[in-house]
Amino acid sequence: MRYRHVLCLLAGYWISPAAAQQIPHTNPNPDSSRSMAEVLIPGIRDGQHDDRLPQRITVLGPAERQLQQPQTAADLLGVTGEVFIQKSQQGGGSPMIRGFAANRLLYAVDGVRMNTAIFRSGNLQNMISLDPFAIRQAEVIFGPGSVLYGSDAIGGVMHFQTLTPSYSPDSHIISSGQAHARHASANREQTVHLHVQAGGRRWAMLSSMTHSSFGDLRMGRYGPAEYLRPFSVQRQGGQDVVVANPDPLVQLGSGYSQINLMQKLRFAPARGWDLQYGLHYSATTGYGRYDRLIRTRNGLPRSAEWSYGPQVWMMHQLSLTRRAAAPFYDQLTLRAAYQGFEESRIDRDFRDPERRIREEQVDAWSLNADLSKLLGERALLYYGIEAVGNWVASAGTDEDLETGTSRPGPARYPQAQWASYAVYTMLQLQLGERLTLLGGARYNAFRLDAVFDTTFYPFPYTRTALRNGALTGSLGLTYQAARSWTFRANAATGFRAPNVDDMGKVFDSEPGSVLVPNPDLDAEYAWNAEAGLAKAFGEVLTVELTGYYTLLQHAMVRRGFTLNGADSIFYDGELSQVQAIQNAALARVYGIQAGLELRLPAGFGASSRISLQEGEEELDDGSLSPSRHAAPWFGITRLTWTGDRVAMDLHAVYSGRVLYADLSEESKGTPYLFAEDADGNPWSPGWWTLNFKILCRIGDAFAVSGGAENLLDRRYRTYTSGLAAAGRNLVLGLNAQF
């Protein structure tokens, strides 16, 4: 699978000037007189939700993106102050939600799961494939979402709805578009974006293009010296040499470029029918795995090279929606999608002429059928089926820089197929004017077939197969005690089926250890309970509080293992301890999410969000260790002002510290990610930044946005990140609508 030719139209979507004035807020006072026909449970997978849902949900719309100007989709989620973003390199952004991350979170785009069979348990960079300019709405659904979304939705679901073309309300053809250009000083960002759309009564089209170039990121001046980048490695005269960095604040090797294209077509063949086709394409240049480039061994760099090759994502999606009073549904949506993924890893040890290249390609197919039916005036049934298939191809090449020759090398993964089949249902009952009950269940069967190459490693098998299933459910209620009070409670289970990355990969993740396949894995299973309340004090103040507890059983974790009876093997010339992913632990996460919003006269407002979480996981000896993905407390506080043509936002972003004693055992083994305390131990200092954003509309067609991030030029890393965050960053954006 190689994407050599992509045919796309240039694209667009018009955002109303009024959208820039919107200051989003939570409304805890839904009108309880609405009929069940108005409740939007059938649209959950379409990015719609109702105030009566028992789970905590955060929604980001175009107004936030337009004012905050996030560079990537990961940065867009960070705007909420409720999603913690880790970065191993600038070409990345791995969310942490309620103590879970990576393949224990689910990514969805226009109702299609993005997670594949090689989404790993470490940090992920796949979110950068999404274009923030093409996102109409981003939803974060906190807690297990396996009933609707299946495997991986343990800590939460991030659902991105992209721009959709609009039909004309009459016989006239409508058209519109938008162009945007942006520059940011900390990484010399240059971004251009263009989208256009046109529509008649029965057809519509939308096309979008974004190109971004990011230079090496500059960190802040004031902070831990351990974060500085004092050296780089260059190859001179056929030898690796250490070269001093003339400006240690610049994180050499972190820059990259990216292009995003999107094309959508829409057709209404008859009343009540809606047919949509969408093409998404994203490709990056290669970019450095920055956290690996700063490691040292015996006083010298460990790696001369460590980078990801170009990351490519393509999705074709076809959906058909029918709205009619049929015997078994009032609304039916069918979705068929194909996704293609390409990624690679290139690394070479310092003063070692052998360069290792590992390439992966995944073909992912999915089919969903979602149906909803109103049962009387107080019940709404939602049900459906889903089938997902992944085909994984993996190859390895070893290059000798001295001789210029290449030879086959060990692949990172076996050649494998992963599949999931599911049936699910949800029922919403209006038990009274104030009480709504929502329950659901899903049965998911999954299978994995893999073929191993024993040329390089003495595996005792050449084939393996997994066959299993998981039953998940949820039950929640929403009670509106009065127009100013809302109470929510929810209990849910979630699961994660073993994928190819869990069962089949071989790689060295740290010196002296090698991860080998384990064909005996089973699904891990989560039990979650949460409760929340919201109180509105008139039209002035809203306060929200949610508490949760999650227990993860049969957690897949790295443990000591044997291969042909040996607990160590030679890997890349080094005697390494054998490890494998095993169902060998319990994990617990609990925490609180709190927020308030204050609406003041004369266009002023204030809001604050804070998240506190604690996590622990079981070790080999039965003792407990802090969980690696349970972030320290973090949050955001804003002061806003909105006028007729101007919106301003002054906000502080902050995070607590993590002392050495509170680091996970895994994190203690990666001291290069952290600062150093007085005893020479790694730790993660707390930090805070002050930021200012402004949006000015000039007439009906033009807008200027800008601001200053990290005004005090602080040097910091978000918890477990290898990349230091941007220092003082001046941002300027120009927007034109037509």
Side-chain angles (χ1 to χ4, degrees):
M1 176 184 62
R2 293 288 179 186
Y3 310 125
R4 300 185 184 276
H5 304 283
V6 179
L7 180 62
C8 287
L9 299 176
L10 294 179
Y13 178 75
W14 182 80
I15 297 177
S16 162
Q21 300 185 55
Q22 298 173 5
I23 301 297
H25 64 275
T26 301
N27 177 16
N29 305 315
D31 183 356
S32 61
S33 66
R34 287 175 301 175
S35 70
M36 288 299 296
E38 297 176 283
V39 179
L40 297 176
I41 288 298
I44 287 180
R45 196 186 291 271
D46 297 317
Q48 297 173 317
H49 67 90
D50 184 78
D51 295 314
R52 302 179 190 185
L53 294 181
Q55 281 184 284
R56 174 115 175 67
I57 299 176
T58 289
V59 181
L60 283 167
E64 291 90 345
R65 180 192 58 76
Q66 207 171 28
L67 176 60
Q68 300 300 331
Q69 293 290 309
Q71 291 187 336
T72 68
D75 296 331
L76 175 65
L77 290 186
V79 168
T80 66
E82 297 179 283
V83 179
F84 194 90
I85 303 298
Q86 183 274 356
K87 290 190 177 183
S88 297
Q89 63 278 327
Q90 188 174 194
S94 187
M96 296 182 184
I97 298 176
R98 290 190 175 182
F100 295 101
N103 57 16
R104 288 174 179 149
L105 301 176
L106 188 98
Y107 303 68
V109 182
D110 291 339
V112 178
R113 60 178 286 131
M114 192 179 186
N115 295 36
T116 72
I118 63 170
F119 268 39
R120 58 188 181 273
S121 59
N123 301 304
L124 294 173
Q125 71 272 14
N126 299 78
M127 184 171 288
I128 66 167
S129 293
L130 304 178
D131 180 5
F133 285 96
I135 294 173
R136 171 175 56 86
Q137 177 174 285
E139 283 194 342
V140 182
I141 305 169
F142 295 92
S146 287
V147 170
L148 277 174
Y149 293 95
S151 178
D152 306 353
I154 288 179
V157 177
M158 294 158 287
H159 193 172
F160 298 90
Q161 288 292 323
T162 59
L163 306 176
T164 300
S166 300
Y167 296 121
S168 173
D170 51 40
S171 59
H172 296 88
I173 295 176
I174 60 172
S175 62
S176 60
Q178 187 179 89
H180 190 90
R182 184 176 64 205
H183 172 75
S185 63
N187 56 2
R188 304 188 309 282
E189 177 203 7
Q190 302 289 343
T191 291
V192 291
H193 170 77
L194 173 68
H195 51 235
V196 296
Q197 77 161 359
R201 294 198 65 178
R202 292 188 176 275
W203 65 272
M205 60 79 65
L206 184 150
S207 308
S208 174
M209 183 280 292
T210 302
H211 182 271
S212 295
S213 176
F214 305 105
D216 292 336
L217 184 64
R218 184 181 182 85
M219 67 182 79
R221 290 183 178 276
Y222 308 106
E226 293 87 351
Y227 299 166
L228 295 173
R229 177 78 151 113
F231 68 87
S232 66
V233 176
Q234 296 181 8
R235 194 160 180 83
Q236 300 177 358
Q239 295 292 326
D240 292 329
V241 296
V242 179
V243 178
N245 183 0
D247 187 350
L249 297 179
V250 176
Q251 299 175 87
L252 298 176
S254 62
Y256 74 103
S257 297
Q258 178 171 340
I259 188 168
N260 285 82
L261 303 171
M262 185 179 75
Q263 176 64 57
K264 285 194 174 183
L265 302 174
R266 191 175 181 188
F267 177 60
R271 183 178 178 85
W273 292 84
D274 190 20
L275 180 66
Q276 293 191 46
Y277 165 75
L279 167 65
H280 302 259
Y281 177 82
S282 172
T284 71
T285 60
Y287 49 90
R289 173 71 189 266
Y290 184 80
D291 63 341
R292 297 298 179 96
L293 296 175
I294 61 177
R295 298 178 301 173
T296 59
R297 178 166 53 190
N298 300 323
L300 293 173
R302 183 181 173 192
S303 297
E305 303 176 50
W306 216 121
S307 64
Y308 289 110
Q311 177 174 296
V312 178
W313 171 65
M314 175 184 281
M315 181 170 77
H316 297 271
Q317 184 196 20
L318 185 65
S319 66
L320 176 65
T321 299
R322 171 79 195 282
R323 296 177 178 88
F328 298 103
Y329 65 86
D330 297 322
Q331 178 173 308
L332 164 67
T333 300
L334 300 175
R335 291 182 186 84
Y338 163 77
Q339 296 179 81
F341 297 80
E342 291 185 16
E343 56 187 59
S344 58
R345 294 163 176 79
I346 302 98
D347 76 291
R348 184 173 62 84
D349 289 343
F350 185 67
R351 292 178 179 168
D352 185 342
E354 183 175 86
R355 174 187 290 145
R356 295 175 289 272
I357 303 173
R358 306 295 180 255
E359 298 177 297
E360 288 80 47
Q361 300 173 8
V362 180
D363 295 305
W365 295 84
S366 61
L367 178 64
N368 297 87
D370 297 328
L371 303 93
S372 64
K373 181 65 178 177
L374 192 63
L375 306 176
E377 296 183 355
R378 292 184 173 270
L380 180 63
L381 179 66
Y382 179 67
Y383 62 102
I385 58 174
E386 179 185 70
V388 177
N390 286 188
W391 284 260
V392 178
S394 184
T397 302
D398 293 335
E399 296 181 350
D400 191 314
L401 298 187
E402 292 181 346
T403 64
T405 59
S406 299
R407 64 182 185 277
R412 179 178 170 90
Y413 298 114
Q415 312 311 303
Q417 297 179 14
W418 182 91
S420 167
Y421 309 96
V423 57
Y424 46 93
T425 184
M426 297 184 74
L427 180 66
Q428 181 161 335
L429 294 174
Q430 190 69 37
L431 301 180
E433 289 188 0
R434 297 179 178 178
L435 184 63
T436 305
L437 185 70
L438 177 65
R442 177 189 186 103
Y443 180 74
N444 217 113
F446 54 88
R447 58 180 293 173
L448 194 161
D449 296 280
V451 178
F452 293 91
D453 183 353
T454 59
T455 303
F456 299 97
Y457 301 109
F459 299 140
Y461 39 76
T462 58
R463 293 177 178 270
T464 189
L466 296 178
R467 303 285 188 275
N468 217 321
L471 178 66
T472 55
S474 64
L475 182 64
L477 61 85
T478 303
Y479 181 69
Q480 295 161 323
R483 290 187 60 85
S484 62
W485 280 97
T486 299
F487 174 78
R488 294 181 174 90
N490 190 58
T493 59
F495 79 101
R496 187 172 73 84
N499 65 17
V500 177
D501 185 84
D502 298 312
M503 187 277 292
K505 71 181 172 187
V506 179
F507 81 115
D508 64 331
S509 61
E510 57 188 43
S513 69
V514 60
L515 198 66
V516 302
N518 176 11
D520 299 318
L521 278 175
D522 198 357
E524 54 186 18
Y525 210 77
W527 301 79
N528 179 79
E530 66 179 88
L533 60 86
K535 167 66 175 175
F537 298 88
E539 298 295 326
V540 177
L541 177 65
T542 301
V543 179
E544 293 182 272
L545 182 67
T546 301
Y548 61 90
Y549 178 91
T550 304
L551 173 66
L552 185 66
Q553 294 181 314
H554 308 297
M556 288 183 263
V557 294
R558 293 179 52 169
R559 292 287 186 264
F561 202 61
T562 61
L563 189 61
N564 290 334
D567 62 4
S568 297
I569 63 172
F570 277 94
Y571 180 79
D572 284 339
E574 182 176 357
L575 185 65
S576 301
Q577 179 188 4
V578 175
Q579 297 180 330
I581 302 296
Q582 303 172 57
N583 297 108
L586 291 173
R588 300 178 182 85
V589 179
Y590 51 92
I592 293 174
Q593 294 173 288
L596 63 84
E597 183 167 352
L598 186 63
R599 292 175 288 279
L600 300 171
F604 284 96
S607 64
S608 189
R609 295 282 179 188
I610 189 168
S611 298
L612 302 93
Q613 48 276 313
E614 294 288 341
E616 56 187 21
E617 60 185 33
E618 191 177 24
L619 300 179
D620 279 342
D621 59 4
S623 62
L624 296 177
S625 167
S627 173
R628 172 190 174 191
H629 288 137
W633 62 267
F634 66 96
I636 189 168
T637 298
R638 301 183 183 278
L639 177 64
T640 61
W641 179 79
T642 305
D644 291 338
R645 293 189 172 273
V646 179
M648 292 189 289
D649 180 348
L650 178 67
H651 64 274
V653 183
Y654 38 84
S655 176
R657 66 182 184 180
V658 181
L659 299 175
Y660 174 74
D662 298 322
L663 287 176
S664 68
E665 291 303 309
E666 184 177 357
S667 294
K668 290 178 180 178
T670 55
Y672 55 89
L673 299 179
F674 300 98
E676 192 174 287
D677 66 16
D679 298 322
N681 294 318
W683 75 300
S684 180
W687 53 267
W688 65 277
T689 65
L690 191 63
N691 313 271
F692 175 74
K693 295 295 177 66
I694 184 170
L695 175 68
C696 300
R697 293 178 302 282
I698 304 171
D700 294 331
F702 297 96
V704 178
S705 58
E709 299 171 344
N710 194 0
L711 280 163
L712 302 182
D713 209 16
R714 293 182 176 272
R715 184 187 310 144
Y716 69 99
R717 286 180 183 163
T718 58
Y719 172 65
T720 71
S721 293
L723 186 81
R728 185 180 295 118
N729 185 30
L730 303 180
V731 182
L732 177 63
L734 303 176
N735 190 80
Q737 298 173 159
F738 52 89

